[in-house]
Amino acid sequence: MTQDVIALTPQMPDTKTLLAGLHAGGPDLLVNRAGGGSVVQLCTAAGQALVSVEAPRYLQVPGEVDRLLGSSVHAESPVWWTEARATTAVEKAGRLAGSVAGRLTAVHGGTVWPREAGHTDVVADLADATTTAAPMGVDILTDTAAVVIQGRPVVAATTWLTDVVRNTVRTGRELQILTPPGARLTLPARTLLDGLPSRWVVRDPECGYYDGLSGAVLHWHGGRFVPVAGDGPRIADAFRPRPGAEGERQLLLSIRTVHTADERLVLGGALEQAWRTLTGAPPAGWATAEPVNVPWSTRQLTDLARTRAQQALPTWIVAVGAPDRPAIATVRITRTRAGVEEHITLAIGYGGYEGPVGALPELAASLAAGHDLATMVTQLRTARVDLTTPAHYEPPPVPLSLTLGPDAVADRGLDQGHRVFDGITATRLGPAARPALHYALGDGTDLAAWQRLQRINDHLNERPAGGTSRGSAARVEDVKVERDR
């Protein structure tokens, strides 16, 4: 299993302390830099990495340690998070990572996760260790797949994992994340897996390997984990529905905005508006990976996106809310011929009360009026209020509503006589000359809402009726919401 060790310290590990930690393997290990200098590696004499230590991250966002490591880890924000990842190819590499983390907390205070991993001993006789460690920072590499072994309670979209995703895509392999049965995925981690060849592989002591998202029984064949062949998919017993989330809900929003690119543009406003409308407060923090460490700032987000756009690169970020109101989002920002597009996935967890569903028409109106809304699809599901995905069955989401922004309405010629689809009447939002349209599809329990959404989607993907406004906003790809696997 993976050998990740994290030092949580109230003070920033200084250079002297980091050097002391890096000498946990004695003077014969090599020290190399990777990841553009943000990662330090302890290597054998042959240059094979044993432990990779990421640059310390200053967590200023409350609740991030509890969200990713569990409430038993006592580390209040702000706190410095320093992560060491040991190769699984050398048995003593895990002890080396534990010594690196233990030395940091011995000097600066704090705690080590897992608690039993921390110590300050020298881990000797590793310089000549023989390892068949795979390249690209993964645990198993074949011609067809890159397998990453994770033992954390919550698998997050860390800087390391996002780098692995990029390298895996670049080499045309399938990414497979292998975990024990109790592990869960954060929304950003699951988002990373969507849209690319990937599989969440769960190793259960009773039923062997299975897919954590579909439940299909798996086995190792052809250099990767694949479903067991047969007349149909075999579903692992461990994937069967479990009690415990009946009173918990997740409100899911997929929002796309299209902005005119100019120097005055400030990004993140649509996300902040959605957060305020549905939770009563703005996002607590944001970052380009988990854990989220920087307080929310639309200006800083815009500066980052502008810098990356100048390099012809998209921007992908994670945002989180306050611990007492679970909410998390990912945003992908791209520069296109139409302007600047934001693709937002926002999830809000609640239970025991009506929740924010009633505020959706208000949100649709505000996004259409002031945030260049192109499309918004909302869904509801019965699932964990903490917004993580467990390795067992959860009911798929059910559509609640669809909103088309003013440009999409104008381009499709819907603002006059085409507001009704098979009895589904839209609510007109905004000025009559340039309205947005909001379609209520159901209450989140009626499965027929899928058919209603599909009928509207089919109509919208027909040839436009001759609109002349920005063509990009009339694109409706985001309306194609797929059901969970």
Side-chain angles (χ1 to χ4, degrees):
M1 195 52 61
T2 188
Q3 303 176 71
D4 295 349
V5 186
I6 300 166
L8 301 164
T9 59
Q11 299 176 346
M12 179 181 178
D14 54 32
T15 303
K16 183 177 180 181
T17 308
L18 285 171
L19 287 174
L22 294 175
H23 280 89
D28 296 329
L29 292 184
L30 301 178
V31 178
N32 295 331
R33 288 190 175 273
S38 62
V39 177
V40 177
Q41 295 179 330
L42 294 177
C43 303
T44 66
Q48 294 172 312
L50 297 170
V51 173
S52 298
V53 183
E54 294 189 4
R57 292 168 63 90
Y58 188 44
L59 270 60
Q60 305 172 66
V61 179
E64 279 298 272
V65 174
D66 284 1
R67 183 175 72 88
L68 298 180
L69 300 181
S71 58
S72 62
V73 180
H74 303 293
E76 297 182 1
S77 298
V79 66
W80 288 92
W81 173 299
T82 307
E83 188 162 337
R85 187 174 197 274
T87 177
T88 56
V90 176
E91 183 178 356
K92 291 202 298 184
R95 278 191 51 78
L96 178 59
S99 184
V100 172
R103 290 174 178 225
L104 298 183
T105 58
V107 174
H108 293 297
T111 187
V112 172
W113 180 91
R115 188 180 302 275
E116 65 276 9
H119 64 93
T120 58
D121 299 341
V122 172
V123 184
D125 303 325
L126 284 174
D128 296 325
T130 300
T131 172
T132 57
M136 292 173 42
V138 303
D139 296 288
I140 302 172
L141 187 68
T142 71
D143 292 339
T144 56
V147 181
V148 171
I149 305 174
Q150 291 275 275
R152 301 178 181 221
V154 176
V155 178
T158 62
T159 300
W160 170 81
L161 185 57
T162 56
D163 286 342
V164 169
V165 168
R166 280 191 290 268
N167 289 331
T168 303
V169 171
R170 176 178 53 82
T171 60
R173 292 177 169 89
E174 179 177 343
L175 175 65
Q176 301 194 330
I177 298 178
L178 176 61
T179 74
R184 292 171 278 124
L185 304 183
T186 66
L187 173 70
R190 181 164 184 182
T191 302
L192 277 179
L193 299 182
D194 289 341
L196 64 118
S198 63
R199 190 179 297 279
W200 177 17
V201 182
V202 181
R203 183 181 182 183
D204 187 85
E206 296 183 0
C207 64
Y209 298 99
Y210 71 94
D211 189 304
L213 297 178
S214 71
V217 176
L218 306 173
H219 69 148
W220 184 260
H221 178 73
R224 59 179 177 168
F225 287 99
V226 297
V228 174
D231 295 335
R234 288 175 48 194
I235 304 301
D237 289 339
F239 189 73
R240 304 297 179 187
R242 302 179 188 180
E246 289 81 359
E248 301 180 44
R249 300 288 185 273
Q250 292 179 5
L251 176 62
L252 309 174
L253 298 91
S254 178
I255 302 169
R256 176 171 165 260
T257 64
V258 182
H259 311 283
T260 300
D262 62 45
E263 295 182 353
R264 296 169 297 175
L265 175 62
V266 177
L267 297 167
L271 178 63
E272 181 172 321
Q273 182 65 52
W275 221 293
R276 288 184 182 277
T277 301
L278 300 176
T279 74
W286 74 286
T288 57
E290 297 179 281
V292 172
N293 62 323
V294 181
W296 175 250
S297 169
T298 55
R299 173 54 59 187
Q300 291 179 359
L301 170 59
T302 303
D303 289 344
L304 172 66
R306 182 171 287 118
T307 298
R308 291 184 61 82
Q310 292 170 352
Q311 304 168 22
L313 296 172
T315 297
W316 186 83
I317 66 108
V318 180
V320 297
D324 60 337
R325 292 300 300 272
I328 191 167
T330 64
V331 183
R332 181 177 173 84
I333 302 168
T334 56
R335 181 71 166 89
T336 68
R337 288 180 298 175
V340 180
E341 299 192 21
E342 294 176 286
H343 295 254
I344 302 167
T345 299
L346 170 62
I348 297 172
Y350 66 96
Y353 66 101
E354 184 182 53
V357 172
L360 290 177
E362 174 191 349
L363 173 61
S366 62
L367 292 180
H371 296 282
D372 299 324
L373 177 68
T375 57
M376 179 173 73
V377 178
T378 67
Q379 303 174 84
L380 189 66
R381 69 183 304 184
T382 298
R384 295 177 63 99
V385 72
D386 65 10
L387 304 173
T388 59
T389 300
H392 61 77
Y393 175 82
E394 288 185 320
V398 178
L400 284 168
S401 65
L402 163 66
T403 305
L404 302 176
D407 285 338
V409 170
D411 280 4
R412 296 286 160 171
L414 301 175
D415 53 329
Q416 298 301 322
H418 299 83
R419 292 186 291 119
V420 179
F421 297 101
D422 293 339
I424 309 171
T425 304
T427 300
R428 187 188 293 264
L429 305 174
R434 194 167 169 75
L437 297 180
H438 179 73
Y439 295 88
L441 302 173
D443 61 0
T445 63
D446 182 6
L447 294 179
W450 279 111
Q451 284 70 43
R452 299 183 189 110
L453 179 60
Q454 186 62 54
R455 289 199 297 270
I456 296 176
N457 182 62
D458 291 343
H459 181 92
L460 294 176
N461 280 283
E462 296 173 357
R463 181 183 295 272
T468 58
S469 63
R470 284 187 294 166
S472 64
R475 282 170 28 209
V476 291
E477 297 95 313
D478 287 0
V479 178
K480 297 178 182 178
V481 180
E482 299 291 339
R483 307 184 193 213
D484 281 2
R485 285 182 283 176

